[in-house]
């Protein structure tokens, strides 16, 4: 798995042009590139705003999803979120919708030390408890996140074939099969962030202060998000996480399965183009292995 190439070139001059056309009151703000995600370009505008523009067509639907739904769930969470403030429309230079959102100042979780991550366990669990409420029937369903684990088996099998020299693929397969055999989620579909990993967490002064990138916001099994704790936290911090976010054995088993999915994805991306993701993926696989001994 590799980081996708950008399908359009976005720079500060283009941002300035689009702001001048659509939001002239913002056009004089300083513009600074602050990141490039899997789907989006990110440019800070002044001190409090960020412009997010899809860098490929597949990023359009997640951005529209965020525009439609993030404000709905953000009311129920206490950590900061990048609230959409101004929707942008295509012009003759840029072909897709975009937006201006609130900016969360801080450092991404894949750039902080383990001690800082350790200290975030309770705050991360509290965020998930706040987010994981029953979603409405019209909430979006994600073809990769809202599905049962068994529907991701083919993806995992294909990925493991490319990771045999770096991952204990036999162990990963065994843990995933156990997770697929666990009782499935029978409760109502819950709101999910859909892409919880340390790169989407924001830290400031050693504290978890925000969560970003809600493009995969969807309804589904909370175990999908709980796997994000296994990607983020050192093993010894998981006890504090589960003290706040209590789970059944079945939910924990499924979360281990999702951690295998996301962990192998992170290792693959880390090998190809994002070295920091290697540690995230390996942490997830190690946590999944160690937690599996506690699941009955």
């Amino acid at each position: 798995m590799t980081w996708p190439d950008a399908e359009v070139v976005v720079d500060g001059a283009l941002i300035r042009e689009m702001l001048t056309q659509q939001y002239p009151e913002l056009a004089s703000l300083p513009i600074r590139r602050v990141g490039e995600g899997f789907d989006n370009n990110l440019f800070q505008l002044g001190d409090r705003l960020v412009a997010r523009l899809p860098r490929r067509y597949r990023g359009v639907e997640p951005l529209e999803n965020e525009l439609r739904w993030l404000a709905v769930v953000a009311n129920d969470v206490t950590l900061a979120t990048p609230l959409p403030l101004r929707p942008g429309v295509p012009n003759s230079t840029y072909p897709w919708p975009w937006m201006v959102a609130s900016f969360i100042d801080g450092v991404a979780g894949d750039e902080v030390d383990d001690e800082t991550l350790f200290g975030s366990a309770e705050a991360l669990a509290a965020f998930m408890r706040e987010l994981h409420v029953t979603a409405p029937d019209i909430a979006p369903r994600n073809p990769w996140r809202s599905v049962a684990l068994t529907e991701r088996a083919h993806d995992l099998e294909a990925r493991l074939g490319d990771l045999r020299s770096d991952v204990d693929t036999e162990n990963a397969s065994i843990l995933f099969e156990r997770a697929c055999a666990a009782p499935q989620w029978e409760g109502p579909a819950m709101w999910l962030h859909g892409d919880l990993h340390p790169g989407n967490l924001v830290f400031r002064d050693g504290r978890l202060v925000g969560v970003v990138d809600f493009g995969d916001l969807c309804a589904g099994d909370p175990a999908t998000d709980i796997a994000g704790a296994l990607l983020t936290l050192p093993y010894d911090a998981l006890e504090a996480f589960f003290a706040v976010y209590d789970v059944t054995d079945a939910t924990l088993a499924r979360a281990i399965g999702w951690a295998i999915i996301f962990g192998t994805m992170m290792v693959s991306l880390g090998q190809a183009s994002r070295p920091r993701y290697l540690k995230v993926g390996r942490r997830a696989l190690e946590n999944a292995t160690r937690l599996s001994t506690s699941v009955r």
Side-chain angles (χ1 to χ4, degrees), residues 105-165:
D105 186 32
V107 180
D110 57 357
E111 299 181 43
V112 303
D113 57 31
D114 283 357
E115 182 178 355
T116 300
L117 292 174
F118 190 101
S120 71
E122 293 180 354
L124 181 61
F127 167 78
M128 289 195 210
R129 285 189 60 182
E130 294 165 346
L131 178 65
H132 294 167
V133 298
T134 302
D137 291 341
I138 59 172
R141 285 345 192 237
N142 185 295
W144 294 282
R145 307 296 200 259
S146 300
V147 299
L149 269 174
T150 52
E151 296 188 36
R152 299 299 307 274
H154 177 74
D155 296 337
L156 177 64
E157 182 179 357
R159 193 175 300 134
L160 288 177
D162 296 327
L163 297 177
R164 294 189 186 282
S165 61

Short mmCIF file of all heavy atoms in Angstrom, two decimals, residues 105-165:
data_model
loop_
_atom_site.label_atom_id
_atom_site.label_comp_id
_atom_site.label_asym_id
_atom_site.label_seq_id
_atom_site.Cartn_x
_atom_site.Cartn_y
_atom_site.Cartn_z
N ASP A 105 -4.26 24.25 17.03
CA ASP A 105 -2.82 24.38 17.15
C ASP A 105 -2.26 23.25 18.01
O ASP A 105 -2.82 22.92 19.05
CB ASP A 105 -2.48 25.74 17.78
CG ASP A 105 -0.99 26.01 17.80
OD1 ASP A 105 -0.29 25.55 16.88
OD2 ASP A 105 -0.51 26.66 18.75
N GLY A 106 -1.18 22.65 17.56
CA GLY A 106 -0.55 21.59 18.34
C GLY A 106 0.32 20.70 17.48
O GLY A 106 0.66 21.04 16.34
N VAL A 107 0.65 19.54 18.03
CA VAL A 107 1.54 18.58 17.39
C VAL A 107 0.79 17.27 17.19
O VAL A 107 0.05 16.82 18.08
CB VAL A 107 2.80 18.33 18.25
CG1 VAL A 107 3.73 17.32 17.59
CG2 VAL A 107 3.53 19.65 18.50
N ALA A 108 0.96 16.65 16.03
CA ALA A 108 0.30 15.37 15.75
C ALA A 108 0.83 14.29 16.68
O ALA A 108 2.01 14.28 17.07
CB ALA A 108 0.52 14.97 14.30
N GLY A 109 -0.06 13.34 17.00
CA GLY A 109 0.29 12.29 17.94
C GLY A 109 1.38 11.35 17.48
O GLY A 109 2.01 10.67 18.31
N ASP A 110 1.63 11.27 16.17
CA ASP A 110 2.72 10.41 15.71
C ASP A 110 4.07 11.14 15.76
O ASP A 110 5.08 10.61 15.30
CB ASP A 110 2.45 9.85 14.32
CG ASP A 110 2.20 10.92 13.27
OD1 ASP A 110 2.18 12.13 13.62
OD2 ASP A 110 2.00 10.57 12.10
N GLU A 111 4.07 12.35 16.34
CA GLU A 111 5.32 13.10 16.50
C GLU A 111 5.66 13.33 17.97
O GLU A 111 6.67 13.96 18.27
CB GLU A 111 5.21 14.46 15.80
CG GLU A 111 4.99 14.37 14.29
CD GLU A 111 4.91 15.73 13.65
OE1 GLU A 111 5.73 16.61 13.99
OE2 GLU A 111 4.03 15.93 12.79
N VAL A 112 4.83 12.82 18.89
CA VAL A 112 5.11 13.00 20.32
C VAL A 112 5.71 11.72 20.89
O VAL A 112 5.67 10.66 20.26
CB VAL A 112 3.84 13.40 21.10
CG1 VAL A 112 3.24 14.67 20.51
CG2 VAL A 112 2.82 12.27 21.11
N ASP A 113 6.24 11.80 22.09
CA ASP A 113 6.90 10.64 22.69
C ASP A 113 5.88 9.72 23.36
O ASP A 113 4.71 10.08 23.56
CB ASP A 113 7.99 11.05 23.67
CG ASP A 113 7.50 11.96 24.80
OD1 ASP A 113 6.32 11.82 25.20
OD2 ASP A 113 8.28 12.79 25.29
N ASP A 114 6.35 8.54 23.72
CA ASP A 114 5.46 7.53 24.32
C ASP A 114 4.88 7.99 25.65
O ASP A 114 3.75 7.65 26.00
CB ASP A 114 6.20 6.20 24.50
CG ASP A 114 6.36 5.44 23.20
OD1 ASP A 114 5.85 5.91 22.17
OD2 ASP A 114 7.01 4.38 23.22
N GLU A 115 5.64 8.76 26.40
CA GLU A 115 5.13 9.24 27.69
C GLU A 115 3.91 10.13 27.49
O GLU A 115 2.93 10.05 28.23
CB GLU A 115 6.23 10.00 28.43
CG GLU A 115 5.81 10.49 29.81
CD GLU A 115 6.93 11.21 30.55
OE1 GLU A 115 8.06 11.25 30.02
OE2 GLU A 115 6.66 11.74 31.64
N THR A 116 3.97 10.98 26.45
CA THR A 116 2.83 11.84 26.15
C THR A 116 1.63 11.02 25.71
O THR A 116 0.50 11.27 26.14
CB THR A 116 3.22 12.87 25.08
OG1 THR A 116 4.31 13.67 25.56
CG2 THR A 116 2.05 13.77 24.73
N LEU A 117 1.86 10.04 24.86
CA LEU A 117 0.77 9.17 24.44
C LEU A 117 0.19 8.42 25.64
O LEU A 117 -1.04 8.28 25.76
CB LEU A 117 1.27 8.17 23.39
CG LEU A 117 1.66 8.76 22.03
CD1 LEU A 117 2.28 7.67 21.15
CD2 LEU A 117 0.47 9.39 21.33
N PHE A 118 1.06 7.94 26.52
CA PHE A 118 0.61 7.22 27.71
C PHE A 118 -0.38 8.06 28.51
O PHE A 118 -1.42 7.57 28.96
CB PHE A 118 1.82 6.86 28.57
CG PHE A 118 1.53 5.92 29.71
CD1 PHE A 118 1.83 4.58 29.61
CD2 PHE A 118 0.94 6.38 30.89
CE1 PHE A 118 1.57 3.70 30.65
CE2 PHE A 118 0.66 5.53 31.93
CZ PHE A 118 0.98 4.17 31.82
N GLY A 119 -0.08 9.34 28.64
CA GLY A 119 -0.92 10.22 29.44
C GLY A 119 -2.24 10.58 28.80
O GLY A 119 -3.09 11.21 29.45
N SER A 120 -2.44 10.18 27.54
CA SER A 120 -3.67 10.55 26.84
C SER A 120 -4.76 9.48 26.94
O SER A 120 -5.85 9.66 26.39
CB SER A 120 -3.37 10.79 25.36
OG SER A 120 -3.07 9.57 24.68
N ALA A 121 -4.49 8.37 27.64
CA ALA A 121 -5.40 7.23 27.61
C ALA A 121 -6.81 7.59 28.06
O ALA A 121 -7.80 7.26 27.40
CB ALA A 121 -4.84 6.10 28.48
N GLU A 122 -6.94 8.28 29.17
CA GLU A 122 -8.26 8.58 29.71
C GLU A 122 -8.99 9.59 28.83
O GLU A 122 -10.20 9.47 28.60
CB GLU A 122 -8.14 9.09 31.14
CG GLU A 122 -7.65 8.01 32.11
CD GLU A 122 -7.53 8.52 33.53
OE1 GLU A 122 -7.71 9.74 33.74
OE2 GLU A 122 -7.25 7.69 34.42
N ALA A 123 -8.27 10.60 28.32
CA ALA A 123 -8.91 11.59 27.46
C ALA A 123 -9.37 10.97 26.15
O ALA A 123 -10.45 11.30 25.63
CB ALA A 123 -7.93 12.73 27.18
N LEU A 124 -8.58 10.04 25.60
CA LEU A 124 -8.98 9.37 24.37
C LEU A 124 -10.21 8.51 24.60
O LEU A 124 -11.14 8.50 23.78
CB LEU A 124 -7.82 8.52 23.85
CG LEU A 124 -8.07 7.76 22.53
CD1 LEU A 124 -8.37 8.72 21.40
CD2 LEU A 124 -6.84 6.90 22.19
N ALA A 125 -10.24 7.79 25.72
CA ALA A 125 -11.40 6.96 26.05
C ALA A 125 -12.64 7.82 26.26
O ALA A 125 -13.74 7.46 25.80
CB ALA A 125 -11.12 6.13 27.30
N ALA A 126 -12.49 8.96 26.92
CA ALA A 126 -13.64 9.84 27.15
C ALA A 126 -14.17 10.37 25.83
O ALA A 126 -15.39 10.46 25.63
CB ALA A 126 -13.23 10.99 28.07
N PHE A 127 -13.28 10.72 24.91
CA PHE A 127 -13.72 11.18 23.59
C PHE A 127 -14.55 10.11 22.89
O PHE A 127 -15.62 10.39 22.33
CB PHE A 127 -12.51 11.55 22.73
CG PHE A 127 -12.84 11.73 21.28
CD1 PHE A 127 -13.44 12.89 20.82
CD2 PHE A 127 -12.57 10.72 20.36
CE1 PHE A 127 -13.76 13.05 19.48
CE2 PHE A 127 -12.88 10.86 19.03
CZ PHE A 127 -13.48 12.04 18.59
N MET A 128 -14.08 8.88 22.92
CA MET A 128 -14.82 7.81 22.25
C MET A 128 -16.17 7.58 22.91
O MET A 128 -17.18 7.35 22.22
CB MET A 128 -14.00 6.52 22.23
CG MET A 128 -12.80 6.57 21.31
SD MET A 128 -12.15 4.90 21.02
CE MET A 128 -10.43 5.27 20.76
N ARG A 129 -16.22 7.63 24.23
CA ARG A 129 -17.51 7.46 24.91
C ARG A 129 -18.49 8.55 24.51
O ARG A 129 -19.68 8.31 24.33
CB ARG A 129 -17.30 7.47 26.43
CG ARG A 129 -16.69 6.19 26.99
CD ARG A 129 -16.72 6.18 28.50
NE ARG A 129 -18.10 6.26 29.00
CZ ARG A 129 -18.40 6.30 30.29
NH1 ARG A 129 -17.44 6.28 31.21
NH2 ARG A 129 -19.65 6.36 30.67
N GLU A 130 -17.99 9.77 24.38
CA GLU A 130 -18.86 10.88 23.97
C GLU A 130 -19.32 10.73 22.53
O GLU A 130 -20.48 11.02 22.20
CB GLU A 130 -18.12 12.21 24.13
CG GLU A 130 -17.79 12.56 25.57
CD GLU A 130 -16.76 13.67 25.68
OE1 GLU A 130 -16.10 14.00 24.67
OE2 GLU A 130 -16.62 14.22 26.79
N LEU A 131 -18.43 10.27 21.66
CA LEU A 131 -18.74 10.15 20.24
C LEU A 131 -19.66 8.97 19.96
O LEU A 131 -20.57 9.05 19.11
CB LEU A 131 -17.44 9.99 19.44
CG LEU A 131 -17.59 9.79 17.93
CD1 LEU A 131 -18.21 11.03 17.28
CD2 LEU A 131 -16.24 9.47 17.30
N HIS A 132 -19.45 7.86 20.65
CA HIS A 132 -20.15 6.62 20.33
C HIS A 132 -21.57 6.61 20.90
O HIS A 132 -21.86 5.94 21.89
CB HIS A 132 -19.36 5.42 20.84
CG HIS A 132 -18.07 5.22 20.14
ND1 HIS A 132 -17.08 4.37 20.60
CD2 HIS A 132 -17.57 5.76 18.99
CE1 HIS A 132 -16.05 4.40 19.77
NE2 HIS A 132 -16.32 5.25 18.79
N VAL A 133 -22.42 7.36 20.24
CA VAL A 133 -23.85 7.37 20.55
C VAL A 133 -24.58 6.89 19.30
O VAL A 133 -24.02 6.84 18.20
CB VAL A 133 -24.34 8.77 20.97
CG1 VAL A 133 -23.64 9.21 22.23
CG2 VAL A 133 -24.13 9.78 19.85
N THR A 134 -25.84 6.52 19.47
CA THR A 134 -26.62 5.99 18.35
C THR A 134 -26.70 7.01 17.22
O THR A 134 -27.08 8.17 17.43
CB THR A 134 -28.03 5.62 18.81
OG1 THR A 134 -27.94 4.65 19.86
CG2 THR A 134 -28.83 5.03 17.66
N ALA A 135 -26.32 6.58 16.04
CA ALA A 135 -26.37 7.45 14.85
C ALA A 135 -27.76 7.37 14.22
O ALA A 135 -28.44 6.34 14.31
CB ALA A 135 -25.32 7.02 13.85
N PRO A 136 -28.20 8.43 13.56
CA PRO A 136 -29.50 8.38 12.89
C PRO A 136 -29.47 7.44 11.70
O PRO A 136 -28.39 7.09 11.18
CB PRO A 136 -29.72 9.84 12.45
CG PRO A 136 -28.35 10.41 12.35
CD PRO A 136 -27.53 9.75 13.41
N ASP A 137 -30.64 7.03 11.27
CA ASP A 137 -30.73 6.10 10.14
C ASP A 137 -30.10 6.67 8.87
O ASP A 137 -29.65 5.90 8.01
CB ASP A 137 -32.19 5.74 9.87
CG ASP A 137 -32.81 4.89 10.97
OD1 ASP A 137 -32.04 4.29 11.74
OD2 ASP A 137 -34.04 4.85 11.07
N ILE A 138 -30.07 7.98 8.74
CA ILE A 138 -29.52 8.60 7.52
C ILE A 138 -28.03 8.87 7.63
O ILE A 138 -27.43 9.45 6.72
CB ILE A 138 -30.26 9.90 7.17
CG1 ILE A 138 -30.16 10.91 8.32
CG2 ILE A 138 -31.72 9.61 6.83
CD1 ILE A 138 -30.71 12.28 7.97
N ALA A 139 -27.41 8.47 8.75
CA ALA A 139 -25.97 8.67 8.89
C ALA A 139 -25.24 7.90 7.80
O ALA A 139 -25.68 6.84 7.34
CB ALA A 139 -25.51 8.20 10.26
N PRO A 140 -24.08 8.40 7.36
CA PRO A 140 -23.35 7.72 6.28
C PRO A 140 -22.84 6.35 6.71
O PRO A 140 -22.51 6.12 7.88
CB PRO A 140 -22.20 8.67 5.98
CG PRO A 140 -22.05 9.49 7.23
CD PRO A 140 -23.41 9.62 7.82
N ARG A 141 -22.79 5.44 5.76
CA ARG A 141 -22.15 4.13 5.94
C ARG A 141 -20.89 4.10 5.08
O ARG A 141 -20.91 4.49 3.92
CB ARG A 141 -23.08 3.00 5.50
CG ARG A 141 -24.27 2.60 6.38
CD ARG A 141 -24.29 3.07 7.76
NE ARG A 141 -25.33 2.41 8.58
CZ ARG A 141 -26.26 3.08 9.21
NH1 ARG A 141 -26.33 4.40 9.12
NH2 ARG A 141 -27.13 2.45 9.98
N ASN A 142 -19.82 3.65 5.68
CA ASN A 142 -18.52 3.64 5.00
C ASN A 142 -18.23 2.22 4.52
O ASN A 142 -18.33 1.27 5.30
CB ASN A 142 -17.44 4.11 5.98
CG ASN A 142 -16.08 4.25 5.36
OD1 ASN A 142 -15.48 3.28 4.92
ND2 ASN A 142 -15.57 5.47 5.34
N PRO A 143 -17.85 2.05 3.24
CA PRO A 143 -17.64 0.70 2.71
C PRO A 143 -16.46 -0.03 3.32
O PRO A 143 -16.32 -1.25 3.13
CB PRO A 143 -17.44 0.93 1.21
CG PRO A 143 -16.97 2.34 1.10
CD PRO A 143 -17.66 3.09 2.20
N TRP A 144 -15.59 0.67 4.05
CA TRP A 144 -14.43 0.02 4.68
C TRP A 144 -14.52 0.01 6.20
O TRP A 144 -13.84 -0.76 6.86
CB TRP A 144 -13.13 0.73 4.26
CG TRP A 144 -12.85 0.59 2.80
CD1 TRP A 144 -12.33 -0.50 2.15
CD2 TRP A 144 -13.10 1.57 1.80
NE1 TRP A 144 -12.24 -0.24 0.80
CE2 TRP A 144 -12.71 1.02 0.55
CE3 TRP A 144 -13.62 2.86 1.83
CZ2 TRP A 144 -12.81 1.72 -0.64
CZ3 TRP A 144 -13.73 3.56 0.63
CH2 TRP A 144 -13.33 2.99 -0.58
N ARG A 145 -15.34 0.88 6.78
CA ARG A 145 -15.39 1.02 8.23
C ARG A 145 -16.71 0.51 8.83
O ARG A 145 -16.73 0.07 9.98
CB ARG A 145 -15.21 2.48 8.66
CG ARG A 145 -13.98 3.18 8.10
CD ARG A 145 -12.69 2.54 8.59
NE ARG A 145 -11.55 3.42 8.45
CZ ARG A 145 -10.65 3.36 7.48
NH1 ARG A 145 -10.76 2.44 6.54
NH2 ARG A 145 -9.63 4.19 7.45
N SER A 146 -17.79 0.63 8.09
CA SER A 146 -19.12 0.28 8.63
C SER A 146 -19.46 -1.19 8.43
O SER A 146 -20.58 -1.60 8.75
CB SER A 146 -20.20 1.14 7.95
OG SER A 146 -19.99 2.50 8.17
N VAL A 147 -18.53 -1.97 7.93
CA VAL A 147 -18.82 -3.36 7.57
C VAL A 147 -18.33 -4.31 8.65
O VAL A 147 -17.55 -3.93 9.54
CB VAL A 147 -18.16 -3.71 6.23
CG1 VAL A 147 -18.71 -2.82 5.12
CG2 VAL A 147 -16.64 -3.57 6.32
N ALA A 148 -18.78 -5.56 8.57
CA ALA A 148 -18.28 -6.60 9.47
C ALA A 148 -16.82 -6.93 9.13
O ALA A 148 -16.39 -6.79 7.97
CB ALA A 148 -19.14 -7.85 9.36
N LEU A 149 -16.08 -7.39 10.12
CA LEU A 149 -14.68 -7.74 9.91
C LEU A 149 -14.49 -8.74 8.77
O LEU A 149 -13.51 -8.66 8.02
CB LEU A 149 -14.10 -8.33 11.20
CG LEU A 149 -13.45 -7.39 12.19
CD1 LEU A 149 -13.08 -8.15 13.44
CD2 LEU A 149 -12.22 -6.72 11.59
N THR A 150 -15.40 -9.69 8.67
CA THR A 150 -15.26 -10.72 7.65
C THR A 150 -15.18 -10.13 6.25
O THR A 150 -14.56 -10.72 5.36
CB THR A 150 -16.43 -11.71 7.72
OG1 THR A 150 -17.66 -10.98 7.69
CG2 THR A 150 -16.36 -12.53 8.99
N GLU A 151 -15.77 -8.95 6.05
CA GLU A 151 -15.74 -8.32 4.73
C GLU A 151 -14.40 -7.68 4.43
O GLU A 151 -14.17 -7.25 3.29
CB GLU A 151 -16.86 -7.29 4.63
CG GLU A 151 -18.25 -7.90 4.71
CD GLU A 151 -19.34 -6.90 4.42
OE1 GLU A 151 -19.14 -6.01 3.56
OE2 GLU A 151 -20.40 -6.97 5.08
N ARG A 152 -13.52 -7.62 5.41
CA ARG A 152 -12.17 -7.08 5.18
C ARG A 152 -11.11 -8.17 5.08
O ARG A 152 -9.92 -7.89 4.96
CB ARG A 152 -11.80 -6.13 6.33
CG ARG A 152 -12.70 -4.93 6.50
CD ARG A 152 -12.72 -4.02 5.25
NE ARG A 152 -11.39 -3.64 4.84
CZ ARG A 152 -10.72 -2.59 5.34
NH1 ARG A 152 -11.29 -1.83 6.26
NH2 ARG A 152 -9.50 -2.30 4.91
N ALA A 153 -11.54 -9.43 5.11
CA ALA A 153 -10.58 -10.54 5.11
C ALA A 153 -9.72 -10.54 3.85
O ALA A 153 -8.51 -10.79 3.92
CB ALA A 153 -11.32 -11.87 5.26
N HIS A 154 -10.34 -10.28 2.70
CA HIS A 154 -9.57 -10.31 1.45
C HIS A 154 -8.50 -9.23 1.45
O HIS A 154 -7.36 -9.46 1.02
CB HIS A 154 -10.51 -10.14 0.26
CG HIS A 154 -9.79 -10.10 -1.06
ND1 HIS A 154 -9.25 -11.23 -1.64
CD2 HIS A 154 -9.48 -9.06 -1.89
CE1 HIS A 154 -8.66 -10.91 -2.79
NE2 HIS A 154 -8.79 -9.60 -2.95
N ASP A 155 -8.85 -8.02 1.95
CA ASP A 155 -7.87 -6.94 2.01
C ASP A 155 -6.68 -7.32 2.87
O ASP A 155 -5.53 -7.07 2.52
CB ASP A 155 -8.51 -5.67 2.58
CG ASP A 155 -9.62 -5.11 1.71
OD1 ASP A 155 -9.61 -5.40 0.50
OD2 ASP A 155 -10.47 -4.39 2.23
N LEU A 156 -6.97 -7.93 4.03
CA LEU A 156 -5.89 -8.32 4.93
C LEU A 156 -5.02 -9.39 4.29
O LEU A 156 -3.79 -9.31 4.35
CB LEU A 156 -6.46 -8.83 6.25
CG LEU A 156 -5.41 -9.32 7.25
CD1 LEU A 156 -4.50 -8.18 7.69
CD2 LEU A 156 -6.07 -9.97 8.46
N GLU A 157 -5.63 -10.37 3.68
CA GLU A 157 -4.86 -11.45 3.06
C GLU A 157 -3.91 -10.91 2.00
O GLU A 157 -2.74 -11.30 1.94
CB GLU A 157 -5.82 -12.46 2.43
CG GLU A 157 -5.12 -13.65 1.81
CD GLU A 157 -6.11 -14.65 1.22
OE1 GLU A 157 -7.33 -14.44 1.34
OE2 GLU A 157 -5.65 -15.64 0.61
N ALA A 158 -4.40 -9.98 1.19
CA ALA A 158 -3.55 -9.40 0.14
C ALA A 158 -2.40 -8.61 0.75
O ALA A 158 -1.26 -8.68 0.27
CB ALA A 158 -4.40 -8.51 -0.76
N ARG A 159 -2.68 -7.88 1.83
CA ARG A 159 -1.64 -7.05 2.44
C ARG A 159 -0.59 -7.92 3.12
O ARG A 159 0.61 -7.64 3.04
CB ARG A 159 -2.29 -6.09 3.44
CG ARG A 159 -1.36 -4.97 3.90
CD ARG A 159 -2.11 -4.00 4.79
NE ARG A 159 -3.23 -3.41 4.07
CZ ARG A 159 -4.45 -3.29 4.57
NH1 ARG A 159 -4.71 -3.74 5.79
NH2 ARG A 159 -5.41 -2.73 3.88
N LEU A 160 -1.03 -8.98 3.81
CA LEU A 160 -0.07 -9.83 4.50
C LEU A 160 0.90 -10.48 3.53
O LEU A 160 2.07 -10.73 3.88
CB LEU A 160 -0.81 -10.90 5.30
CG LEU A 160 -1.55 -10.42 6.55
CD1 LEU A 160 -2.29 -11.58 7.20
CD2 LEU A 160 -0.59 -9.79 7.55
N GLY A 161 0.45 -10.73 2.32
CA GLY A 161 1.34 -11.31 1.33
C GLY A 161 2.54 -10.45 1.02
O GLY A 161 3.59 -10.96 0.63
N ASP A 162 2.38 -9.13 1.22
CA ASP A 162 3.48 -8.20 0.95
C ASP A 162 4.30 -7.87 2.19
O ASP A 162 5.29 -7.13 2.09
CB ASP A 162 2.92 -6.89 0.36
CG ASP A 162 2.24 -7.11 -0.98
OD1 ASP A 162 2.69 -7.99 -1.73
OD2 ASP A 162 1.26 -6.39 -1.27
N LEU A 163 3.90 -8.40 3.34
CA LEU A 163 4.56 -8.01 4.59
C LEU A 163 5.25 -9.18 5.29
O LEU A 163 5.60 -9.08 6.46
CB LEU A 163 3.52 -7.41 5.56
CG LEU A 163 2.84 -6.12 5.12
CD1 LEU A 163 1.78 -5.70 6.15
CD2 LEU A 163 3.85 -4.99 4.94
N ARG A 164 5.43 -10.28 4.59
CA ARG A 164 5.93 -11.48 5.24
C ARG A 164 7.30 -11.29 5.87
O ARG A 164 7.62 -11.96 6.87
CB ARG A 164 5.98 -12.64 4.23
CG ARG A 164 4.59 -13.05 3.75
CD ARG A 164 4.63 -14.33 2.91
NE ARG A 164 3.32 -14.63 2.34
CZ ARG A 164 2.33 -15.17 3.02
NH1 ARG A 164 2.49 -15.46 4.29
NH2 ARG A 164 1.17 -15.41 2.44
N SER A 165 8.12 -10.41 5.35
CA SER A 165 9.45 -10.23 5.91
C SER A 165 9.47 -9.31 7.13
O SER A 165 10.48 -9.22 7.83
CB SER A 165 10.39 -9.65 4.84
OG SER A 165 9.93 -8.38 4.40
#
